[in-house]
Amino acid sequence: MTADEALLSPDALPSRHGYLLAALVLVASLALVAIYATGAGTRERELAQARLAGEAEQVVARLRQQLLTYELITRGGVSLFATVQAPSPQQWRHYTDGLELDRRFPAMLGLCYAEALSPAALQELQLRRRAAGMGLFNVDPPGARAQYGPVVLLEPRTIANINTIGFDMLQEPTRAAAMLAARDSGAARITAPLQLAQVGAGRGLVIFAPVYRAGIVPSDPSARAAALAGWVCAPFRLDGFVEQAVADAPGTPGLRIVDIGDGVETLVYAHDAALAPGKHAAAVTHSVEEQVYGRRWRLDFHQVRAGNGGSALLGTQGTIVLGMLASFLMFAVALSLARTQSRAQQIAARMSESYRRSELRFRSAMRFSAIGKALLDRDGRVVDANLALANILRASPEELMGRDFQALFSGTGDAAEERSRAATGSVYRVTRELRRDDGELRHVLLTYAQVPGDVGQDVASLAQVEDITDRVRAEAQINALNRTLEARVALRTRELTRANEALESFAYTISHDLRAPLRAIDGFTRVLGERHADAFDDAGRGYLARVRAATARMGELIDALLKMSRVSRGELRREPLDLSAMAADIVADLRHGDPQRQVDAQIEPGLQASGDSALVRNLLNNLLGNAWKFTRGRERGHIAFHRVEHAGETWFEVADNGVGFDEAYAGKLFRPFQRLHAQDEFVGEGIGLASVKRIIERHGGSITAEGRVGEGARFRFTLPDDAGVG
């Protein structure tokens, strides 16, 4: 073969085309470098401007996020007023301590509540605080006004914050404007820059969130003033706020924030680099206006560009040289590609045969699959379908050819499918309905997947059809059962609420309505005994004494019943408890009250639990007090408080060697006023163990009792650490 024949052979043509392509790449690359060199300066400035705009957007987003966080903190305070009608200073302190303002938000001076008060309401507040022993509440500045907005709650309790209590924010115009705007809009509002009320705090801002009575914002704006209860406010320093928001932002440009909300420019914050934007000739600037909780801010950004007129690293000339080197490098790569082109053609021929076999395996797997499948073209028409799909649709595969696949189903619209496709990418699933010719409605799950292949082929996607009718019906039944269960829970909750209300009413009746006749009986019998004693013989005077003793006993029973009812009410406050130390204190009190008794008390050290301190002390006082009382007939009593293993769990046990009880009547021990011993033998109201059981159940625990007549008793109980009972 001659040289000319070699150049004209089919194998030589790709190589020659490759050389021509390499030359074109070199020429095009050099032309691009030349074009770049002509406009490098302009592009560099535009790039710097775009970079500054991007960095400014990041800073604005961080400032916006920081302000949103401050708003959420104040909204949390508003939510506290929605759950608790009038939070106490301790509740406000607990909420603020949980926020960890000093660590997480050092720019925030605290979280306060300013109450909206009329003159009469202010006087009532002062009397109420004086009656609670909180001292005199003074309003600053003093004087008579139609409306007051003094700070009544402010945490954390720093010296500056304590001195701010009583400051009337409504008397300062800047604060009043934001407070009234928050009241009328029902949303959080921020002040213009002002001098903060805390001594030495400097200039800052205050964000106000309105608090309405009943925790609901009135829909009618005209009714919001009457429904206003006060404002939750968060004062913060300007410099600390901005520095915290952009502290970790890389390459933060110079920043100047100006408040333009009132038509007058008021400086909010200024960084040193932003004070003199004309200092550098190569400087770029960018301004953004933002609506900030009722105010309008302008953020001016300033940054100095590199002075080499081109790339910050190489400059224009260096970039041109680098572009030329890259051009020659691409030329070398193009030559290398030309040499490997012939090798790639040989590999492509082998891959074509492999692709043909892969295509055959794919179609065989689809046709004999137990799940309905169809191949669709780019218009969504059926190109091929298997027997499983034909069985679901009640049609032969031949009848399905060329039909619009979407038209075979109904249910979910195209918009839903487009959202599902956008969310999941190349593979997405939708649920549709299938109405068969016999009228039966079936639910199917369609799975679409793109089929990779050559450009122009007739197959574009694979659709998989699964009949999920039985699953949908089962889910509907489960949802119906869940709704029924929710209704039952709501019914039981209402019944429990009514029962608690009835218990409250019963306790009130006992406390107030029964004591009056008891006092009358006791008073008249006492008068009879004192003034008309001579009219009675010894038996009559004895009867009067018994009547007075019975009324005293009934009064004690009323006190015991009220005491037991209080155990079931009130907030349960869990904290770590040292049961050993608590039991030792109780035993010491028992010894002090009955020093003649000889009782051995063994208390295991290191007994720890979690619970309400007052309730658990009441529990131990009843159990240890009963053990002390019922060992009175022993020559030497023995009481033990220790930890035991029972039924695979760890229990606390109080044991004694007292008179014990018949286990046949153990069920009566924890019922109110159920006694297994006579009153003249062992005094008591029969309420102690009932209170013990209620205390333990409130902590999510349980209690059991064992005993034998004449051999003592054992009471075991648990106090789970993770119980959510309250």
Side-chain angles (χ1 to χ4, degrees):
M1 180 182 294
T2 64
D4 293 338
E5 292 175 343
L7 289 174
L8 295 176
S9 65
D11 294 336
L13 289 176
S15 299
R16 186 172 64 180
H17 292 163
Y19 284 116
L20 293 175
L21 178 61
L24 290 175
V25 168
L26 178 60
V27 173
S29 300
L30 293 176
L32 290 175
V33 171
I35 294 172
Y36 169 79
T38 60
T42 302
R43 289 193 300 273
E44 181 64 23
R45 183 172 184 83
E46 292 175 352
L47 179 62
Q49 189 73 35
R51 186 183 300 112
L52 177 60
E55 294 174 355
E57 182 62 27
Q58 294 181 9
V59 172
V60 170
R62 290 172 179 268
L63 291 173
R64 190 184 301 118
Q65 181 63 36
Q66 186 76 348
L67 280 174
L68 178 60
T69 303
Y70 284 12
E71 181 197 3
L72 292 178
I73 291 174
T74 59
R75 286 294 183 187
V78 174
S79 299
L80 180 62
F81 277 88
T83 57
V84 180
Q85 183 176 5
S88 64
Q90 185 178 10
Q91 290 173 323
W92 189 258
R93 186 178 306 115
H94 287 170
Y95 169 73
T96 308
D97 291 345
L99 296 175
E100 300 181 355
L101 298 180
D102 294 341
R103 182 180 65 83
R104 298 173 58 195
F105 309 102
M108 186 178 292
L109 301 182
L111 189 65
C112 62
Y113 173 65
E115 190 167 355
L117 299 172
S118 64
L122 175 61
Q123 184 177 5
E124 181 182 351
L125 172 65
Q126 292 172 332
L127 294 176
R128 188 170 60 251
R129 290 174 64 96
R130 184 180 302 172
M134 302 173 64
L136 183 64
F137 182 77
N138 295 321
V139 177
D140 180 29
R145 295 183 285 274
Q147 187 74 17
Y148 297 86
V151 177
V152 296
L153 297 174
L154 179 55
E155 295 291 340
R157 296 183 64 83
T158 62
I159 295 177
N161 283 345
I162 293 174
N163 293 332
T164 308
I165 297 293
F167 175 66
D168 189 356
M169 292 191 174
L170 275 177
Q171 299 311 302
E172 198 279 316
T174 304
R175 291 181 176 86
M179 295 167 74
L180 297 180
R183 179 199 67 186
D184 296 338
S185 63
R189 289 294 181 261
I190 201 168
T191 65
L194 48 76
Q195 184 69 28
L196 295 175
Q198 287 82 349
V199 177
R203 289 175 61 79
L205 301 174
V206 184
I207 186 169
F208 291 93
V211 178
Y212 297 96
R213 297 182 183 89
I216 301 175
V217 181
S219 58
D220 186 3
S222 61
R224 292 173 183 170
L228 182 71
W231 298 267
V232 175
C233 48
F236 55 92
R237 292 186 297 269
L238 294 172
D239 52 351
F241 160 73
V242 179
E243 290 170 3
Q244 182 184 8
V246 301
D248 56 349
T252 302
L255 173 61
R256 186 170 182 265
I257 303 177
V258 180
D259 187 311
I260 58 175
D262 298 327
V264 179
E265 294 191 358
T266 304
L267 183 64
V268 176
Y269 172 82
H271 188 272
D272 291 343
L275 295 179
K279 183 177 179 180
H280 300 280
V284 291
T285 60
H286 182 73
S287 296
V288 178
E289 290 190 3
E290 284 284 320
Q291 289 287 349
V292 182
Y293 297 100
R295 305 295 301 176
R296 188 168 184 83
W297 287 1
R298 189 184 72 240
L299 292 85
D300 299 327
F301 295 90
H302 165 81
Q303 196 168 55
V304 179
R305 295 193 301 118
N308 56 7
S311 173
L313 295 176
L314 301 175
T316 304
Q317 295 180 354
T319 304
I320 294 174
V321 173
L322 183 61
M324 295 178 65
L325 293 176
S327 300
F328 288 112
L329 178 61
M330 287 189 291
F331 176 69
V333 170
L335 289 177
S336 176
L337 291 175
R339 294 190 180 96
T340 58
Q341 186 174 3
S342 60
R343 177 63 178 170
Q345 289 177 342
Q346 296 176 2
I347 296 175
R350 290 195 298 268
M351 290 181 64
S352 297
E353 177 63 20
S354 177
Y355 173 78
R356 186 186 65 80
R357 295 182 179 182
S358 177
E359 175 78 8
L360 180 61
R361 288 192 297 268
F362 168 74
R363 290 187 177 273
S364 298
M366 190 200 78
R367 181 168 295 276
F368 299 107
S369 173
I371 300 176
K373 295 182 180 180
L375 292 175
L376 310 178
D377 61 13
R378 286 176 173 77
D379 296 328
R381 298 187 178 277
V382 178
V383 176
D384 193 6
N386 65 355
L387 296 175
L389 178 60
N391 183 48
I392 294 174
L393 299 177
R394 296 290 192 266
S396 64
E398 292 75 15
E399 293 174 345
L400 297 175
M401 296 302 175
R403 296 186 62 180
D404 185 357
F405 185 75
Q406 297 284 354
L408 299 174
F409 308 95
S410 61
T412 305
D414 293 338
E417 292 189 11
E418 290 299 328
R419 288 194 298 269
S420 178
R421 184 196 300 269
T424 57
S426 59
V427 178
Y428 67 99
R429 295 175 175 84
V430 293
T431 302
R432 304 293 293 273
E433 295 178 352
L434 170 64
R435 179 72 67 178
R436 290 177 174 171
D437 295 339
D438 57 2
E440 182 182 5
L441 179 65
R442 308 294 292 180
H443 299 275
V444 294
L445 176 65
L446 305 182
T447 303
Y448 294 91
Q450 296 181 0
V451 177
D454 296 335
V455 177
Q457 69 174 9
D458 57 346
V459 178
S461 60
L462 170 68
Q464 179 174 292
V465 182
E466 297 179 68
D467 190 336
I468 59 170
T469 304
D470 295 337
R471 188 201 318 173
V472 171
R473 292 173 179 172
E475 290 176 354
Q477 293 176 354
I478 293 174
N479 291 334
L481 291 175
N482 287 338
R483 289 191 296 271
T484 304
L485 179 60
E486 291 174 358
R488 291 178 180 176
V489 171
L491 177 61
R492 296 296 184 269
T493 302
R494 289 194 297 271
E495 292 175 351
L496 179 60
T497 301
R498 288 195 293 268
N500 287 335
E501 292 174 353
L503 178 60
E504 292 283 348
S505 177
F506 177 68
Y508 179 85
T509 300
I510 292 177
S511 175
H512 295 80
D513 297 350
L514 293 186
R515 290 189 185 275
L518 283 179
R519 286 194 296 269
I521 294 172
D522 182 69
F524 283 121
T525 53
R526 179 175 55 80
V527 171
L528 283 174
E530 292 176 354
R531 299 182 181 180
H532 306 285
D534 297 337
F536 297 96
D537 56 8
D538 292 341
R541 286 189 291 273
Y543 293 152
L544 288 177
R546 292 176 64 181
V547 170
R548 294 196 64 192
T551 56
R553 174 63 178 165
M554 190 170 181
E556 293 174 357
L557 291 177
I558 291 173
D559 292 337
L561 184 60
L562 291 176
K563 181 179 179 181
M564 185 182 69
S565 67
R566 294 189 190 103
V567 170
S568 301
R569 303 194 304 270
E571 182 181 359
L572 189 143
R573 302 178 181 275
R574 284 188 171 272
E575 57 181 311
L577 301 176
D578 187 345
L579 300 185
S580 299
M582 193 177 292
D585 292 341
I586 295 172
V587 171
D589 292 340
L590 293 172
R591 291 188 189 278
H592 181 74
D594 195 0
Q596 294 80 16
R597 292 282 306 279
Q598 297 294 324
V599 178
D600 294 331
Q602 298 179 356
I603 300 174
E604 180 179 339
L607 298 181
Q608 304 287 332
S610 173
D612 187 289
S613 176
L615 293 181
V616 174
R617 179 173 288 275
N618 187 347
L619 181 155
L620 293 178
N621 196 25
N622 278 300
L623 292 180
L624 294 172
N626 280 352
W628 185 276
K629 176 172 64 176
F630 290 111
T631 56
R632 183 175 292 113
R634 302 302 185 193
E635 180 179 352
R636 192 173 189 86
H638 179 77
I639 299 174
F641 179 45
H642 50 252
R643 185 189 293 111
V644 297
E645 293 294 330
H646 177 67
E649 297 183 58
T650 300
W651 297 61
F652 300 105
E653 181 181 85
V654 176
D656 63 71
N657 65 339
V659 297
F661 60 88
D662 189 348
E663 287 197 6
Y665 303 102
K668 296 183 177 181
L669 287 175
F670 302 107
R671 298 178 185 174
F673 308 115
Q674 295 291 326
R675 298 174 49 84
L676 301 184
H677 303 281
Q679 176 70 19
D680 56 354
E681 183 180 3
F682 295 101
V683 297
E685 295 83 16
I687 208 71
L689 290 179
S691 299
V692 166
K693 188 172 187 297
R694 292 195 179 189
I695 292 171
I696 290 176
E697 288 177 347
R698 286 203 67 191
H699 285 77
S702 57
I703 183 170
T704 62
E706 297 179 2
R708 292 186 179 180
V709 177
E711 297 183 10
R714 296 176 180 272
F715 292 88
R716 301 189 184 98
F717 63 92
T718 60
L719 292 173
D721 291 337
D722 56 350
V725 182

